Amino acid sequence: WRYAGTDIPGDINLTKYAQLNGYYNVTVKNTNKCSKISSPVQIIVDTLLKPTATANGPTTFCQGKSVVINTTTGKSLTYQWKNNGTPITGGTASSYTVNVSGSYYVVVKKGGCIDSTSPIFVMVLPTPKAVITPDGPTTFCLKDSVVFKADTATGYIYQWKKNGVNISGATTSIYTAKTAA
């Protein structure tokens, strides 16, 4: 076998597994010691370096937000994003905007070479309910008040506001209003 016009020492096998870009040909001899060199064949080895994926922000966030995940870019690359192993319809660009929990990775192809990124885990947290229920009329006399109750759930933290400004010390699910807003 010959590579780039030079004999490959000791390579006298019937089959050649090419691993480098370049031109390969073979010298064939018969029992009469006659020989002929084949026409060269160009081999182009497609290389695809291990693709990576990175998130452009936090991967744990509240419902209604999102994060963009980007992957390796390059000439002649194609992409297929997956969530929990399932292909994402339309997820064929080098970046993908995520707004649903899951394990995201992308399969990158170049020619016949295929590889995928390590997964990025995204957790979308539910938005708490923010409903206030007055325990009486919201119009009252000067010395009266009204009690407001917010929905409660494990892990909820409260901060009552008046006209958009935090009310100092008002951090429970119940607030008694004594003045108009």
Side-chain angles (χ1 to χ4, degrees), residues 2-6 8 16-25 40-49 110 113:
R2 298 167 55 89
Y3 172 70
T6 304
I8 302 170
K16 174 67 180 165
Y17 295 98
Q19 296 179 333
L20 300 173
N21 288 327
Y23 289 90
Y24 291 83
N25 59 357
V41 174
Q42 183 180 15
I43 301 298
I44 299 172
V45 180
D46 249 341
T47 56
L48 175 62
L49 300 176
K110 181 180 181 186
C113 303

Side-chain angles (χ1 to χ4, degrees), residues 83-84 98 100-104 120-124:
N83 180 10
N84 299 325
V98 176
V100 175
S101 294
S103 173
Y104 290 85
I120 292 181
F121 301 97
V122 175
M123 174 65 74
V124 179

Side-chain angles (χ1 to χ4, degrees), residues 4-181:
T6 304
D7 287 342
I8 302 170
D11 198 346
I12 57 171
N13 298 314
L14 181 61
T15 305
K16 174 67 180 165
Y17 295 98
Q19 296 179 333
L20 300 173
N21 288 327
Y23 289 90
Y24 291 83
N25 59 357
V26 66
T27 301
V28 179
K29 293 181 182 179
N30 64 18
T31 55
N32 297 332
K33 300 198 187 230
C34 297
S35 66
K36 181 160 182 158
I37 298 174
S38 71
S39 297
V41 174
Q42 183 180 15
I43 301 298
I44 299 172
V45 180
D46 249 341
T47 56
L48 175 62
L49 300 176
K50 176 71 178 166
T52 59
T54 55
N56 75 344
T59 56
T60 299
F61 50 86
C62 294
Q63 189 174 6
K65 305 278 184 178
S66 63
V67 65
V68 175
I69 303 176
N70 299 297
T71 190
T72 308
T73 59
K75 187 176 178 183
S76 303
L77 298 179
T78 62
Y79 310 93
Q80 178 58 66
W81 287 92
K82 295 187 177 189
N83 180 10
N84 299 325
T86 302
I88 299 169
T89 302
T92 57
S94 63
S95 63
Y96 186 73
T97 301
V98 176
N99 59 9
V100 175
S101 294
S103 173
Y104 290 85
Y105 65 95
V106 62
V107 176
V108 181
K109 293 181 184 180
K110 181 180 181 186
C113 303
I114 300 173
D115 205 348
S116 61
T117 64
S118 296
I120 292 181
F121 301 97
V122 175
M123 174 65 74
V124 179
L125 305 171
T127 304
K129 290 172 66 177
V131 177
I132 300 171
T133 306
D135 194 18
T138 57
T139 302
F140 50 86
C141 295
L142 186 59
K143 293 185 180 185
D144 291 333
S145 62
V146 64
V147 175
F148 290 109
K149 295 179 182 178
D151 285 342
T152 60
T154 303
Y156 279 16
I157 299 171
Y158 304 91
Q159 176 59 64
W160 290 90
K161 296 178 181 271
K162 179 178 179 183
N163 296 325
V165 177
N166 289 349
I167 300 170
S168 179
T171 57
T172 66
S173 64
I174 299 173
Y175 178 72
T176 302
K178 297 180 181 182
T179 60

